[in-house]
Amino acid sequence: MQGSTRRMGVMTDVHRRFLQLLMTHGVLEEWDVQRLQKHCYKVHDRNATVEKLEDFINNINSVLESLYIEIKKGVTEDDGRPIYALVNLATTSISKMASDFAENELDLFRKALELIIDSETGFASSTNILNLVDQLKGKKMRKKEAEHVLQKFVQNKWLIEKEGEFTLHGRAILEMEQYIRETYPDAVKVCTICHSLLIQGQSCETCGIRMHLPCVAKYFQSNSEPRCPHCNDYWPHEIPEVFDPEKEREAGISKSNKRSSRSRQH
């Protein structure tokens, strides 16, 4: 196949193991993905040079392409941590969750999603979600049951819970951006900086444009008088810190060093 410009990736046992483990987790932070990759090399091909993560993932994606599956990279909306998820490109709808949840459970997710998309803050209270239980399709569900199902969505990394309020997990945003844009065209919010779907972020009080917190952090970095990129009015919100993977790594390394020194002492 000398004439082909697109190089078809070759899946080794290292790639296969990595893919299986990522499927099990559904979504992982970049730091964990790198650890996972090293682990797979150690188990299957300890003498090989560890491929650059980007090339390693592109390699897998070129094989998955024909199955309409892709390992997709995104960032968490609250603090900009890079995350990776295995995304099904063939079905954009909530039906991709169908293998794990019953019809009434999926409908509960749909109702929660609508409340989250419609809200100003990108959060829906558990009270408001549970009040919709009587309207669910499929088998009747009690509120107690519904609370349990919401926790299941959190465990499966479709929702995040903060103080009794729910928002979408980065995994749900990566997997469902297309579906959300198509289903809620009038309610959907988009970040002025990166043009991606925005669930939670900051907005200009004058012109109403919105920005993800990580985009706000980067855009106004070392800017003592932040102004709206659209109307140039004063930006009234607190500017979050930029996520720094190096700092994060050092913190992780010192944590694991403490752990290993403790275990040596015992």
Side-chain angles (χ1 to χ4, degrees), residues 212-262:
H212 288 122
L213 296 177
C215 294
V216 168
K218 278 202 188 105
Y219 187 80
F220 293 131
Q221 202 174 3
S222 66
N223 189 335
S224 57
E225 229 177 73
R227 296 193 163 273
C228 171
H230 184 250
C231 71
N232 205 33
D233 210 346
Y234 178 69
W235 195 260
H237 308 285
E238 192 182 327
I239 308 304
E241 267 186 52
V242 179
F243 173 72
D244 183 349
E246 277 310 305
K247 258 191 210 162
E248 192 74 6
R249 253 203 24 219
E250 282 161 23
I253 288 164
S254 69
K255 231 190 265 173
S256 64
N257 284 349
K258 269 183 201 152
R259 269 201 302 270
S260 59
S261 70
R262 263 206 304 271

Side-chain angles (χ1 to χ4, degrees), residues 49-101:
T49 313
V50 176
E51 202 177 358
K52 200 166 141 247
L53 186 62
E54 195 183 338
D55 297 338
F56 183 82
I57 284 171
N58 286 343
N59 205 349
I60 296 172
N61 279 341
S62 67
V63 176
L64 296 179
E65 204 176 21
S66 59
L67 304 169
Y68 299 101
I69 299 168
E70 184 188 346
I71 298 172
K72 216 169 169 187
K73 184 180 180 182
V75 294
T76 54
E77 279 201 324
D78 54 353
D79 57 8
R81 289 160 187 272
I83 54 169
Y84 290 80
L86 194 64
V87 174
N88 180 345
L89 303 170
T91 59
T92 58
S93 75
I94 284 169
S95 64
K96 66 178 75 208
M97 296 163 65
S99 55
D100 298 319
F101 298 99

